[in-house]
Amino acid sequence: MSLRSLTVIAALLLSASYAAAGDVTGQVLVNGQPVAGANLNFRRSSGGGGGVTELNDGTDAGGNFTTTVTPNNVYDMTIVPAPGTHALVTTIPSVVIGAAVNNLGTIALPDGVLLSGRCVDAFGLGIASVNVDVIDAGGVNIALAGDMTDATGHFSVAAPAGIVEVRFDTTLVVGPLLAPRTLAVTLGADVALGDVVLAPGFVVSALVRRLSGNTAVSDVEVDVFDSVSGALLYTPSDNTDAAGFVDFVVPAGTFDIQFTPPFALHLVGQELNNHVVAGSATLGTLLLQNGVVLSGTVTGFDGSIHGGVDVDVDID
């Protein structure tokens, strides 16, 4: 047999070994009770993408699973409980899939608080496909199971206890345009929000460019505030794209709209105050001029440094 043939065989054997399937087994519980119908998702710990095959990737009535994963590798395993249960979505890092069965034993999922409700329009009709997100006090977007409203507008998700911001994203809703919204909620015991009314929405668009050279400015952050209350509105996908274009959806009202370019560009932001929205409209082209960096340190009379001080600059 030639050296070339031996090399080809060795490569085939190595490839077959790498692509081999392995089993991982265990039992999923919450508060000592089996978690049935949980889904198991595997992603390479090294950050690799697809190419993963999973067989029997769910728990049975007793919370047990024996899942076959191809190819052998090291994975982060995410357990997604069935919607409507108190168990929280949990990721177990660095699960080894190899020739031997990896028995993870008993996996105790954290217990959460159920947050439920129904998204409706101004006529009280349920709205399907509203994406529900829960943001904790640290700004972390909590992984949720069943975070999309069903055909009747209902949702039920489990989240950790605490003060959270609940976001209702209408981007995927089919039908009349609706404005996204948020609610501040304290989760202690289970919370039923009842009907969450989503107002009719209107598209506001703009094009942001440099005053010097008239080139597009990407990644400009747009913030929309209620002119009366000062409350910040929830506007998903509110950064300019590579062409400097941005559009977002808001309800009818009067708003202060801020355009904040990336600091590294040293461009001066703009703010449109008391802008009335009564229908979909364009703000036209906003031209940002070159700026200079103003820096300093705010201290008290005793020399102590003060953080969180709001600095405003007025131009005469």
Side-chain angles (χ1 to χ4, degrees):
M1 184 178 295
S2 68
L3 179 60
R4 177 183 176 86
S5 297
L6 288 172
T7 301
V8 170
I9 293 173
L12 290 173
L13 288 174
L14 181 60
S15 175
S17 174
Y18 178 77
D23 290 338
V24 59
T25 186
Q27 183 185 31
V28 181
L29 306 176
V30 61
N31 288 329
Q33 299 300 312
V35 178
N39 189 46
L40 308 180
N41 296 322
F42 293 82
R43 182 176 179 84
R44 288 186 177 91
S45 298
S46 59
V52 180
T53 301
E54 305 158 6
L55 298 177
N56 301 318
D57 58 343
T59 59
D60 62 18
N64 300 293
F65 65 91
T66 298
T67 303
T68 301
V69 182
T70 307
N72 291 344
N73 212 308
V74 180
Y75 294 91
D76 294 338
M77 182 180 80
T78 299
I79 304 172
V80 183
T85 64
H86 282 78
L88 298 179
V89 176
T90 301
T91 297
I92 300 175
S94 303
V95 174
V96 177
I97 304 296
V101 175
N102 189 345
N103 187 349
L104 299 179
T106 300
I107 303 170
L109 299 187
D111 190 17
V113 177
L114 274 183
L115 174 69
S116 61
R118 183 175 73 123
C119 290
V120 300
D121 62 17
F123 301 101
L125 299 177
I127 306 168
S129 300
V130 177
N131 185 29
V132 180
D133 289 323
V134 175
I135 313 299
D136 69 13
V140 176
N141 192 341
I142 303 300
L144 304 174
D147 61 348
M148 195 78 71
T149 58
D150 63 17
T152 62
H154 286 89
F155 64 91
S156 180
V157 296
I163 300 175
V164 299
E165 177 189 5
V166 186
R167 295 176 177 175
F168 301 93
D169 185 352
T170 57
T171 303
L172 299 179
V173 173
V174 177
L177 200 60
L178 298 168
R181 65 171 294 186
T182 64
L183 288 173
V185 179
T186 299
L187 298 178
D190 291 353
V191 175
L193 295 176
D195 284 352
V196 178
V197 180
L198 302 181
F202 303 100
V203 177
V204 178
S205 62
L207 191 64
V208 183
R209 305 184 74 84
R210 289 176 180 265
L211 177 62
S212 173
N214 196 32
T215 55
V217 184
S218 63
D219 204 28
V220 175
E221 181 179 355
V222 181
D223 291 318
V224 182
F225 299 86
D226 185 281
S227 296
V228 176
S229 68
L232 174 65
L233 274 68
Y234 172 47
T235 51
S237 304
D238 57 0
N239 282 38
T240 58
D241 61 17
F245 177 79
V246 65
D247 61 358
F248 49 91
V249 179
V250 295
T254 302
F255 306 107
D256 299 333
I257 307 174
Q258 296 180 354
F259 295 81
T260 305
F263 179 79
L265 299 181
H266 293 177
L267 294 172
V268 179
Q270 284 196 26
E271 181 172 356
L272 304 179
N273 292 317
N274 299 312
H275 184 83
V276 177
V277 174
S280 294
T282 178
L283 301 176
T285 300
L286 283 77
L287 298 175
L288 305 185
Q289 61 181 328
N290 294 326
V292 295
V293 176
L294 175 66
S295 63
T297 302
V298 179
T299 63
F301 68 92
D302 59 354
S304 60
I305 296 176
H306 288 254
V309 177
D310 180 38
V311 178
D312 295 319
V313 178
D314 293 325
I315 301 177
D316 293 332

PDB file of all heavy atoms in Angstrom, residues 230-247:
ATOM      1  N   GLY A 230     -41.168  63.341  29.945  1.00  0.00           N
ATOM      2  CA  GLY A 230     -39.736  63.059  29.877  1.00  0.00           C
ATOM      3  C   GLY A 230     -39.413  61.576  29.811  1.00  0.00           C
ATOM      4  O   GLY A 230     -38.238  61.196  29.808  1.00  0.00           O
ATOM      5  N   ALA A 231     -40.434  60.719  29.754  1.00  0.00           N
ATOM      6  CA  ALA A 231     -40.218  59.273  29.731  1.00  0.00           C
ATOM      7  C   ALA A 231     -39.595  58.842  28.404  1.00  0.00           C
ATOM      8  O   ALA A 231     -39.978  59.321  27.330  1.00  0.00           O
ATOM      9  CB  ALA A 231     -41.534  58.531  29.951  1.00  0.00           C
ATOM     10  N   LEU A 232     -38.630  57.920  28.495  1.00  0.00           N
ATOM     11  CA  LEU A 232     -37.987  57.375  27.302  1.00  0.00           C
ATOM     12  C   LEU A 232     -38.869  56.302  26.693  1.00  0.00           C
ATOM     13  O   LEU A 232     -39.295  55.369  27.380  1.00  0.00           O
ATOM     14  CB  LEU A 232     -36.618  56.789  27.668  1.00  0.00           C
ATOM     15  CG  LEU A 232     -35.854  56.054  26.566  1.00  0.00           C
ATOM     16  CD1 LEU A 232     -35.458  57.008  25.449  1.00  0.00           C
ATOM     17  CD2 LEU A 232     -34.629  55.351  27.146  1.00  0.00           C
ATOM     18  N   LEU A 233     -39.150  56.412  25.396  1.00  0.00           N
ATOM     19  CA  LEU A 233     -39.952  55.408  24.709  1.00  0.00           C
ATOM     20  C   LEU A 233     -39.084  54.230  24.295  1.00  0.00           C
ATOM     21  O   LEU A 233     -37.863  54.377  24.100  1.00  0.00           O
ATOM     22  CB  LEU A 233     -40.615  55.996  23.470  1.00  0.00           C
ATOM     23  CG  LEU A 233     -41.969  56.700  23.667  1.00  0.00           C
ATOM     24  CD1 LEU A 233     -41.807  57.984  24.474  1.00  0.00           C
ATOM     25  CD2 LEU A 233     -42.634  56.977  22.325  1.00  0.00           C
ATOM     26  N   TYR A 234     -39.713  53.078  24.154  1.00  0.00           N
ATOM     27  CA  TYR A 234     -39.030  51.878  23.651  1.00  0.00           C
ATOM     28  C   TYR A 234     -39.173  51.858  22.138  1.00  0.00           C
ATOM     29  O   TYR A 234     -40.288  51.758  21.609  1.00  0.00           O
ATOM     30  CB  TYR A 234     -39.647  50.638  24.284  1.00  0.00           C
ATOM     31  CG  TYR A 234     -39.161  49.328  23.721  1.00  0.00           C
ATOM     32  CD1 TYR A 234     -37.804  49.082  23.524  1.00  0.00           C
ATOM     33  CD2 TYR A 234     -40.057  48.311  23.395  1.00  0.00           C
ATOM     34  CE1 TYR A 234     -37.355  47.885  23.014  1.00  0.00           C
ATOM     35  CE2 TYR A 234     -39.622  47.099  22.900  1.00  0.00           C
ATOM     36  CZ  TYR A 234     -38.276  46.896  22.706  1.00  0.00           C
ATOM     37  OH  TYR A 234     -37.833  45.697  22.205  1.00  0.00           O
ATOM     38  N   THR A 235     -38.041  51.979  21.438  1.00  0.00           N
ATOM     39  CA  THR A 235     -38.038  51.994  19.976  1.00  0.00           C
ATOM     40  C   THR A 235     -36.992  51.004  19.468  1.00  0.00           C
ATOM     41  O   THR A 235     -35.820  51.368  19.318  1.00  0.00           O
ATOM     42  CB  THR A 235     -37.734  53.409  19.445  1.00  0.00           C
ATOM     43  OG1 THR A 235     -36.546  53.907  20.090  1.00  0.00           O
ATOM     44  CG2 THR A 235     -38.883  54.364  19.724  1.00  0.00           C
ATOM     45  N   PRO A 236     -37.363  49.758  19.214  1.00  0.00           N
ATOM     46  CA  PRO A 236     -36.395  48.764  18.732  1.00  0.00           C
ATOM     47  C   PRO A 236     -35.772  49.187  17.399  1.00  0.00           C
ATOM     48  O   PRO A 236     -36.383  49.905  16.603  1.00  0.00           O
ATOM     49  CB  PRO A 236     -37.247  47.499  18.561  1.00  0.00           C
ATOM     50  CG  PRO A 236     -38.482  47.733  19.368  1.00  0.00           C
ATOM     51  CD  PRO A 236     -38.718  49.201  19.347  1.00  0.00           C
ATOM     52  N   SER A 237     -34.553  48.726  17.168  1.00  0.00           N
ATOM     53  CA  SER A 237     -33.852  48.964  15.895  1.00  0.00           C
ATOM     54  C   SER A 237     -33.786  50.445  15.566  1.00  0.00           C
ATOM     55  O   SER A 237     -34.142  50.878  14.460  1.00  0.00           O
ATOM     56  CB  SER A 237     -34.534  48.190  14.759  1.00  0.00           C
ATOM     57  OG  SER A 237     -34.603  46.812  15.049  1.00  0.00           O
ATOM     58  N   ASP A 238     -33.320  51.244  16.553  1.00  0.00           N
ATOM     59  CA  ASP A 238     -33.333  52.696  16.378  1.00  0.00           C
ATOM     60  C   ASP A 238     -31.942  53.281  16.160  1.00  0.00           C
ATOM     61  O   ASP A 238     -31.667  54.414  16.572  1.00  0.00           O
ATOM     62  CB  ASP A 238     -34.009  53.372  17.574  1.00  0.00           C
ATOM     63  CG  ASP A 238     -33.348  53.029  18.899  1.00  0.00           C
ATOM     64  OD1 ASP A 238     -32.365  52.262  18.883  1.00  0.00           O
ATOM     65  OD2 ASP A 238     -33.807  53.531  19.936  1.00  0.00           O
ATOM     66  N   ASN A 239     -31.053  52.532  15.492  1.00  0.00           N
ATOM     67  CA  ASN A 239     -29.740  53.061  15.102  1.00  0.00           C
ATOM     68  C   ASN A 239     -29.668  53.169  13.586  1.00  0.00           C
ATOM     69  O   ASN A 239     -30.242  52.327  12.866  1.00  0.00           O
ATOM     70  CB  ASN A 239     -28.610  52.158  15.600  1.00  0.00           C
ATOM     71  CG  ASN A 239     -28.329  52.354  17.077  1.00  0.00           C
ATOM     72  OD1 ASN A 239     -29.244  52.543  17.880  1.00  0.00           O
ATOM     73  ND2 ASN A 239     -27.071  52.319  17.467  1.00  0.00           N
ATOM     74  N   THR A 240     -28.964  54.161  13.092  1.00  0.00           N
ATOM     75  CA  THR A 240     -28.851  54.328  11.648  1.00  0.00           C
ATOM     76  C   THR A 240     -28.047  53.188  11.032  1.00  0.00           C
ATOM     77  O   THR A 240     -27.143  52.632  11.659  1.00  0.00           O
ATOM     78  CB  THR A 240     -28.178  55.663  11.294  1.00  0.00           C
ATOM     79  OG1 THR A 240     -26.882  55.714  11.904  1.00  0.00           O
ATOM     80  CG2 THR A 240     -29.007  56.837  11.767  1.00  0.00           C
ATOM     81  N   ASP A 241     -28.380  52.844   9.780  1.00  0.00           N
ATOM     82  CA  ASP A 241     -27.665  51.791   9.076  1.00  0.00           C
ATOM     83  C   ASP A 241     -26.467  52.378   8.322  1.00  0.00           C
ATOM     84  O   ASP A 241     -26.113  53.556   8.503  1.00  0.00           O
ATOM     85  CB  ASP A 241     -28.607  51.029   8.138  1.00  0.00           C
ATOM     86  CG  ASP A 241     -29.217  51.912   7.055  1.00  0.00           C
ATOM     87  OD1 ASP A 241     -28.692  53.024   6.798  1.00  0.00           O
ATOM     88  OD2 ASP A 241     -30.218  51.489   6.445  1.00  0.00           O
ATOM     89  N   ALA A 242     -25.853  51.570   7.477  1.00  0.00           N
ATOM     90  CA  ALA A 242     -24.646  52.008   6.760  1.00  0.00           C
ATOM     91  C   ALA A 242     -24.915  53.199   5.845  1.00  0.00           C
ATOM     92  O   ALA A 242     -24.003  53.968   5.531  1.00  0.00           O
ATOM     93  CB  ALA A 242     -24.069  50.841   5.958  1.00  0.00           C
ATOM     94  N   ALA A 243     -26.167  53.362   5.425  1.00  0.00           N
ATOM     95  CA  ALA A 243     -26.522  54.492   4.559  1.00  0.00           C
ATOM     96  C   ALA A 243     -26.966  55.710   5.360  1.00  0.00           C
ATOM     97  O   ALA A 243     -27.370  56.722   4.771  1.00  0.00           O
ATOM     98  CB  ALA A 243     -27.623  54.076   3.589  1.00  0.00           C
ATOM     99  N   GLY A 244     -26.914  55.616   6.693  1.00  0.00           N
ATOM    100  CA  GLY A 244     -27.345  56.723   7.539  1.00  0.00           C
ATOM    101  C   GLY A 244     -28.845  56.792   7.744  1.00  0.00           C
ATOM    102  O   GLY A 244     -29.357  57.744   8.325  1.00  0.00           O
ATOM    103  N   PHE A 245     -29.556  55.746   7.306  1.00  0.00           N
ATOM    104  CA  PHE A 245     -31.030  55.754   7.375  1.00  0.00           C
ATOM    105  C   PHE A 245     -31.499  55.082   8.661  1.00  0.00           C
ATOM    106  O   PHE A 245     -30.922  54.088   9.120  1.00  0.00           O
ATOM    107  CB  PHE A 245     -31.623  55.021   6.174  1.00  0.00           C
ATOM    108  CG  PHE A 245     -33.124  54.915   6.212  1.00  0.00           C
ATOM    109  CD1 PHE A 245     -33.920  56.000   5.845  1.00  0.00           C
ATOM    110  CD2 PHE A 245     -33.746  53.744   6.627  1.00  0.00           C
ATOM    111  CE1 PHE A 245     -35.306  55.912   5.888  1.00  0.00           C
ATOM    112  CE2 PHE A 245     -35.127  53.642   6.662  1.00  0.00           C
ATOM    113  CZ  PHE A 245     -35.908  54.728   6.289  1.00  0.00           C
ATOM    114  N   VAL A 246     -32.558  55.599   9.233  1.00  0.00           N
ATOM    115  CA  VAL A 246     -33.171  54.990  10.408  1.00  0.00           C
ATOM    116  C   VAL A 246     -34.676  55.205  10.341  1.00  0.00           C
ATOM    117  O   VAL A 246     -35.153  56.235   9.846  1.00  0.00           O
ATOM    118  CB  VAL A 246     -32.612  55.595  11.717  1.00  0.00           C
ATOM    119  CG1 VAL A 246     -32.966  57.064  11.854  1.00  0.00           C
ATOM    120  CG2 VAL A 246     -33.097  54.825  12.940  1.00  0.00           C
ATOM    121  N   ASP A 247     -35.431  54.209  10.790  1.00  0.00           N
ATOM    122  CA  ASP A 247     -36.862  54.410  11.000  1.00  0.00           C
ATOM    123  C   ASP A 247     -37.277  53.670  12.262  1.00  0.00           C
ATOM    124  O   ASP A 247     -36.669  52.681  12.646  1.00  0.00           O
ATOM    125  CB  ASP A 247     -37.698  53.996   9.785  1.00  0.00           C
ATOM    126  CG  ASP A 247     -37.546  52.529   9.427  1.00  0.00           C
ATOM    127  OD1 ASP A 247     -36.765  51.819  10.088  1.00  0.00           O
ATOM    128  OD2 ASP A 247     -38.200  52.077   8.479  1.00  0.00           O
TER     129      ASP A 247
END
